[in-house]
Amino acid sequence: MTSHQPNENAKFPEGQSGFWKWLNHRTGIDDVLKTALYEPIPGGARFAYIFGSGLLFIFISQVITGVFLALYYVPSADHAHTTVAYITKAVTAGSFLRSLHAYGASAMVVVLFLHLSQTFIYGSYKGKREILWLSGCVLFALVLGMAFTGYLLPWDQRAYFATAVGTNAASEIPLVGESLKLLMRGGTEMGTLTISRFFVAHVFLIPAFIFALVGSHIFLFRKAGAAGPVDEDPIEPKQQPELFYPRQVLMDLALTALLIVFLGLLSFFVPMQIGPPANPADAQYVPRPEWYYLPIFQWLKYWHGSAAIVGVLMIPTVLVLAVVALPFFDRSAERRPWKRPIAMSSYIFLVVALLGLGLRSGYVDRHDPSVAQQLAKQKTEEDEYARKPFEPELSSLSLAAANVALADPAAAKGKAIFEAQSCNACHGDAGVGTAAAPALVGIKAKYSAEQVENLFKHPTAKMTAGGMPPIDLPPDDLKALITYVRSLN
Ligand code: HEC
């Protein structure tokens, strides 16, 4: 391997143009880029270090796809599901975009786990990096918060019931649990206020904190310096450093490229579905969370009654505190995993436990016939709903008209004739009116049935001028059409 000495006098880029000189004079961009790209990495670039940049890339991708989704999304119990169905079924590339966002969330959790594992196994949290570790812990919690709040927003059956379970689990926490549930739901039941709260958290609050913390996290990382390989001194590195640019940048970009290809192919070939709209009255629905919440979901099943306080509160609190406080009590500078048996066995135990709980959850579901049957039924309903073309919401006006028309068989027949004769081409669906012709709603107050019949047979000059032909139909059909037209309210 060639040596990669840091060159303090390096200029970026080579061969400066007049424009670059001007820009640099105004902004100092040369120094910014130098600081960003010429970071020394003790022991040289490695693929083990790529996960942090990977997370940054996914976060940016989530922001961009999220902004496009927000162009269509309406956060209310009445419209959330319709607007997501519209994105999925009607908007050009909408399904692809939404899938990128939804799979991006899962990718985030996976890469976050890899980043955390690398930091832990390499002992990179050691050597004056306590606050860097703490900022990472907060980011971890924020990412899980993003996953939790985002899951509800489509307001389909799956989203509604998973969030009902999630918010109920929070209420198990002694003392504050009930208030916490009320705070999240915006009331005792889930509805528009819940969507609004989750939406605000998902789109404004948590992302703002993530932006701030990503900034601090990178700043603190640069301040402490890259920790390098496991046999390196975490405070005063001695191994030959290599600059971040170009080799480490390229390695980081390799992961980014892999993520783009993987998420792109997945979103294109296995797009994220949307299920039927949330129906809170459905008592049969068996809720299941997103895969990364399955271990917690399974864990909570084991703790009931008075034991709940141990399983729901004490054990998780101790675990979280142990992780958060890690760099404060693990003070040795030893970073080689094989010299840290307690740390490494704890890590392996935790990973195996999480995996075991997650797999157990799936196993239990498959081996309980009634649950398995209900889950299969839910999947079928979801597939069926996903295949149906997009159905727009009816306005209250046309809905009322359609209902009246359906109440009377003659009017129902008339409605069919109205559409078959293309009356709706000018007068609009359900006679609500268009630019070409006036609304027919309320015509009953204006004309008697005889007068309408007369108009149909002998159109006025204005009607003829507007392109409305005389209506020539068998007497029964004519009567049905008149009944329908006069039923429009
Ligand atoms: C090519 C466009 C067009 C089509 C198709 C059409 N109409 Fe009309 N219709 C008009 C216009 C224009 C008027 C006159 C508007 C005015 O008086 O200002 C009119 C007027 C009417 C009126 C009288 C409304 C009023 O308030 O005076 C009735 C009733 C009516 N249409 C029913 C029908 C029915 C039923 C059909 C289908 C068989 C039909 N129209 C098809 C354009 C159309």
Side-chain angles (χ1 to χ4, degrees):
M1 200 167 70
T2 51
S3 82
H4 298 275
Q5 281 282 1
N7 180 356
E8 290 304 320
N9 299 319
K11 277 274 176 210
F12 187 94
E14 314 282 326
Q16 299 198 333
S17 69
F19 171 73
W20 189 267
K21 271 189 193 150
W22 172 86
L23 189 69
N24 185 37
H25 198 254
R26 300 294 183 277
T27 60
I29 192 165
D30 252 8
D31 287 337
V32 174
L33 284 174
K34 235 166 91 178
T35 315
L37 295 174
Y38 294 159
E39 163 83 0
I41 302 167
R46 285 185 187 210
F47 276 107
Y49 308 149
I50 60 182
F51 303 115
S53 311
L55 282 171
L56 191 59
F57 164 74
I58 301 176
F59 178 61
I60 293 168
S61 160
Q62 293 300 86
V63 170
I64 295 172
T65 50
V67 165
F68 279 103
L69 293 175
L71 288 177
Y72 295 93
Y73 183 71
V74 175
S76 87
D78 292 341
H79 306 300
H81 183 269
T82 317
T83 50
V84 176
Y86 183 72
I87 292 170
T88 310
K89 297 177 177 185
V91 174
T92 311
S95 169
F96 181 68
L97 197 77
R98 173 167 172 255
S99 303
L100 278 181
H101 196 75
Y103 288 131
S106 284
M108 191 91 165
V109 175
V110 172
V111 181
L112 188 56
F113 170 76
L114 295 172
H115 182 61
L116 205 80
S117 298
Q118 189 268 323
T119 309
F120 186 82
I121 294 168
Y122 274 62
S124 311
Y125 56 89
K126 296 179 174 222
K128 305 188 176 173
R129 290 180 172 82
E130 298 92 341
I131 302 184
L132 173 57
W133 175 262
L134 286 182
S135 67
C137 291
V138 178
L139 277 168
F140 187 100
L142 291 173
V143 167
L144 290 185
M146 284 302 269
F148 181 64
T149 50
Y151 202 60
L152 173 71
L153 300 181
W155 201 248
D156 56 1
Q157 289 276 76
R158 177 188 283 274
Y160 177 89
F161 284 102
T163 306
V165 170
T167 46
N168 265 332
S171 74
E172 300 266 337
I173 301 171
L175 300 177
V176 292
E178 273 307 318
S179 324
L180 194 65
K181 179 175 154 186
L182 278 178
L183 181 76
M184 287 195 285
R185 290 189 173 186
T188 49
E189 301 304 320
M190 285 175 36
T192 291
L193 279 180
T194 322
I195 299 187
S196 161
R197 283 174 189 214
F198 275 58
F199 179 72
V200 167
H202 190 78
V203 172
F204 299 106
L205 286 180
I206 306 179
F209 282 111
I210 293 185
F211 271 115
L213 268 131
V214 165
S216 333
H217 196 67
I218 296 173
F219 173 81
L220 290 166
F221 163 66
R222 285 305 180 88
K223 186 158 165 51
V230 295
D231 52 1
E232 177 62 285
D233 183 321
I235 300 174
E236 275 163 12
K238 300 178 178 63
Q239 299 185 19
Q240 169 83 285
E242 175 184 351
L243 295 180
F244 177 61
Y245 178 85
R247 284 212 320 134
Q248 187 67 56
V249 172
L250 286 174
M251 289 181 185
D252 289 6
L253 285 178
L255 175 62
T256 303
L258 196 75
L259 282 167
I260 291 175
V261 170
F262 182 71
L263 289 174
L265 289 177
L266 198 63
S267 301
F268 190 80
F269 289 108
V270 197
M272 197 52 118
Q273 287 194 349
I274 178 157
N279 174 14
D282 185 346
Q284 306 298 310
Y285 198 87
V286 174
R288 286 294 172 267
E290 191 65 326
W291 65 269
Y292 40 80
Y293 276 115
L294 280 177
I296 302 178
F297 176 76
Q298 182 65 18
W299 170 257
L300 293 176
K301 284 194 206 165
Y302 297 122
W303 305 91
H304 293 294
S306 52
I309 187 156
V310 178
V312 178
L313 191 69
M314 280 157 61
I315 296 177
T317 308
V318 169
L319 251 173
V320 168
L321 282 181
V323 171
V324 169
L326 180 66
F328 295 96
F329 61 76
D330 182 7
R331 304 296 294 173
S332 100
E334 177 58 74
R335 293 179 50 202
R336 291 167 295 181
W338 55 92
K339 300 271 181 184
R340 295 157 55 219
I342 302 177
M344 287 318 295
S345 38
S346 311
Y347 170 80
I348 292 168
F349 174 77
L350 203 68
V351 172
V352 170
L354 288 175
L355 256 172
L357 283 168
L359 292 175
R360 175 81 196 154
S361 165
Y363 178 87
V364 172
D365 282 351
R366 280 190 303 277
H367 288 78
D368 181 332
S370 65
V371 171
Q373 201 188 350
Q374 174 65 21
L375 286 175
K377 186 177 153 226
Q378 288 168 200
K379 177 86 182 81
T380 314
E381 282 168 1
E382 215 173 275
D383 291 345
E384 274 168 10
Y385 182 85
R387 267 197 301 273
K388 279 203 286 190
F390 175 70
E391 273 173 36
E393 279 172 11
L394 293 172
S395 73
S396 50
L397 185 70
S398 57
L399 200 64
N403 284 345
V404 170
L406 283 179
D408 178 346
K413 185 181 172 196
K415 179 170 188 272
I417 297 167
F418 188 78
E419 276 152 15
Q421 296 286 320
S422 301
C423 312
N424 55 342
C426 294
H427 291 286
D429 285 325
V432 292
T434 69
L440 301 178
V441 174
I443 206 142
K444 187 178 181 178
K446 211 165 145 190
Y447 306 115
S448 68
E450 288 75 21
Q451 283 172 313
V452 173
E453 186 174 346
N454 196 39
L455 270 177
F456 281 178
K457 288 181 175 157
H458 314 285
T460 63
K462 256 183 160 174
M463 287 159 80
T464 316
M468 180 168 162
I471 299 171
D472 185 16
L473 286 170
D476 274 352
D477 287 2
L478 193 64
K479 231 179 136 207
L481 185 61
I482 293 166
T483 312
Y484 172 66
V485 168
R486 293 186 77 241
S487 78
L488 297 170
N489 275 313

